[in-house]
């Protein structure tokens, strides 16, 4: 029997906890892959990490939530060739739930087994993540639970019935968990997380536009999308703005946690982020403290000529 404890307006506590548990365990597995393979063969390290974390999550969800659908970045037919370079993989990756079934399902797990593969394969980098999110069809469809593990930082951020929490290790060396609370931006200053490799050109224009209006902007390069949104939630930056192309698995879990923590999360024109769509592309996003949302969306509108949401 599948455990579905809890009740109330949010997802059952079992789903929040399960998302955190699976993201954390997949993260531990990825640390083991780094230790096992080292960094000399980057392609083998990337592909092995992607597929081992994917297979772990697919197996765990099949056992723990057998009636739910799954959409994984690594469950697409297009990634099957990774098996040729991954170490000790038997056959192609386990495929996603059939699209026609997923689109009519009441519960869909949207996962990115390794977000920030490039950073994962660079020795010493800590800005990569594991994403596990649950979307439910109830109402108009919504993210009901989610977790972002930052394995190299020893942290997992996840949703909870009354908000969001961050789990790690306390000063006494024991596991600890505390509520996740957003830090308001400093007056007249915004730190915006941007892609290390593909910072959208319009962000420089946005920084200039906000500067003219009296807000000093610092663009902070960070690796994976999950690490960037986690940095917003941990107070290391004030916002994440991206418009260079993404998919649902890149943002579902971190957006679930950000919304649960009270953050603003939307498309860059202010529109609602929609998940479990036929086309999983979700190309742009802004996540920030609610106090910054109007400033950022107005500035983005001014530099992109996009209509306000």
């Amino acid at each position: 029997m599948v455990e579905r404890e809890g009740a109330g307006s949010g997802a059952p506590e079992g789903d929040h906890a399960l998302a955190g548990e699976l993201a954390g365990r997949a993260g531990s597995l990825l640390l083991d892959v780094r230790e096992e393979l080292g960094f000399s063969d980057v392609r083998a390290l990337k592909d092995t990490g992607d597929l081992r974390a994917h297979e772990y999550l697919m197996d765990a969800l099949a056992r723990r939530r057998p009636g739910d659908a799954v959409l994984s970045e690594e469950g697409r037919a297009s990634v099957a060739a990774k098996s040729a370079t991954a170490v000790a993989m038997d056959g192609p990756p386990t495929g996603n739930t059939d699209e026609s079934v997923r689109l009519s399902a009441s519960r869909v797990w949207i996962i990115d087994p390794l977000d920030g593969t490039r950073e994962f394969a660079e020795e010493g980098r800590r800005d990569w993540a594991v994403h596990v999110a649950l979307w439910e069809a109830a109402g108009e469809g919504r993210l009901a639970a989610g977790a972002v593990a930052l394995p190299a930082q020893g942290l997992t951020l996840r949703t909870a019935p009354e908000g969001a929490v961050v789990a790690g290790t306390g000063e006494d060396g024991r596991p600890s968990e505390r509520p996740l609370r957003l830090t308001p931006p400093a007056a007249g200053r915004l730190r915006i997380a941007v892609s290390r490799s593909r910072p959208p050109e319009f962000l420089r224009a946005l920084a200039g536009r906000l500067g003219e209006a009296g807000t000093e902007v610092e663009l902070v390069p960070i690796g994976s999308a999950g690490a960037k949104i986690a940095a917003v939630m941990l107070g290391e930056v004030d916002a994440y703005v991206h418009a260079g192309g993404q998919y649902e698995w890149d943002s579902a879990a971190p957006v679930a946690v950000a919304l649960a923590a009270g953050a603003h999360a939307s498309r860059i024109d202010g529109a609602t982020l929609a998940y479990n769509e036929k086309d999983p592309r979700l190309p742009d996003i802004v996540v920030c403290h609610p106090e910054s949302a109007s400033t950022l969306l107005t500035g983005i509108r001014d530099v992109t000529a996009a209509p306000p949401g």
Side-chain angles (χ1 to χ4, degrees):
M1 179 178 178
V2 178
E3 185 181 23
R4 294 281 172 81
E5 69 271 39
S9 57
E13 168 59 12
D15 287 329
H16 299 299
L18 180 62
E21 175 193 332
L22 297 189
R25 289 188 176 182
S28 296
L29 180 155
L30 286 165
L31 291 174
D32 289 343
V33 171
R34 268 182 151 189
E35 183 71 21
E36 174 189 343
L37 300 185
F39 297 87
S40 59
D41 186 338
V42 170
R43 175 50 57 194
L45 178 58
K46 289 179 176 179
D47 290 352
T48 302
D50 274 333
L51 295 184
R52 285 193 189 174
H54 166 78
E55 291 301 328
Y56 165 75
L57 292 171
M58 295 297 281
D59 177 69
L61 288 171
R63 290 185 289 103
R64 306 283 290 276
R65 297 294 187 264
D68 295 350
V70 182
L71 172 64
S72 168
E73 178 180 18
E74 305 302 327
R76 298 168 295 160
S78 59
V79 303
K82 289 186 177 181
S83 300
T85 51
V87 174
M89 293 297 298
D90 296 324
T94 302
N96 288 329
T97 304
D98 182 79
E99 181 179 282
S100 62
V101 175
R102 174 176 65 82
L103 294 175
S104 61
S106 61
R107 290 163 50 94
V108 181
W109 293 87
I110 302 174
I111 63 175
D112 188 344
L114 174 50
D115 176 59
T117 310
R118 172 177 172 171
E119 286 72 28
F120 170 74
E122 292 183 30
E123 189 171 10
R125 293 211 67 93
R126 294 152 42 97
D127 47 352
W128 50 277
V130 178
H131 297 177
V132 177
L134 172 64
W135 174 92
E136 290 187 336
E140 297 181 354
R142 65 186 180 90
L143 295 171
V148 179
L150 303 169
Q153 299 180 40
L155 299 174
T156 297
L157 289 63
R158 70 168 177 87
T159 56
E162 302 302 326
V165 297
V166 54
T169 302
E171 294 181 355
D172 60 359
R174 297 179 178 178
S176 69
E177 191 171 89
R178 60 178 171 82
L180 190 54
R181 304 192 191 287
L182 295 179
T183 304
R189 182 168 182 259
L190 281 177
R191 299 162 298 171
I192 302 178
V194 300
S195 170
R196 289 178 65 211
S197 57
R198 302 182 301 278
E201 185 59 36
F202 88 93
L203 279 173
R204 294 186 178 87
L206 173 63
R209 176 70 183 85
L210 295 179
E212 292 170 359
T215 299
E216 177 187 352
V217 174
E218 178 186 1
L219 301 181
V220 183
I222 298 177
S224 80
K228 294 185 188 78
I229 298 174
V232 176
M233 291 184 277
L234 294 170
E236 298 165 355
V237 297
D238 302 304
Y240 170 44
V241 181
H242 180 79
Q246 285 187 346
Y247 292 85
E248 291 184 11
W249 45 76
D250 292 309
S251 66
V255 163
V257 181
L259 291 174
H264 168 91
S266 71
R267 302 286 300 274
I268 62 169
D269 65 357
T272 300
L273 294 159
Y275 293 92
N276 195 34
E277 301 290 301
K278 179 178 177 59
D279 182 350
R281 286 180 294 184
L282 191 50
D284 56 74
I285 187 171
V286 54
V287 179
C288 62
H289 191 284
E291 287 185 12
S292 305
S294 177
T295 298
L296 284 166
L297 292 173
T298 300
I300 293 168
R301 180 199 60 199
D302 289 347
V303 300
T304 63

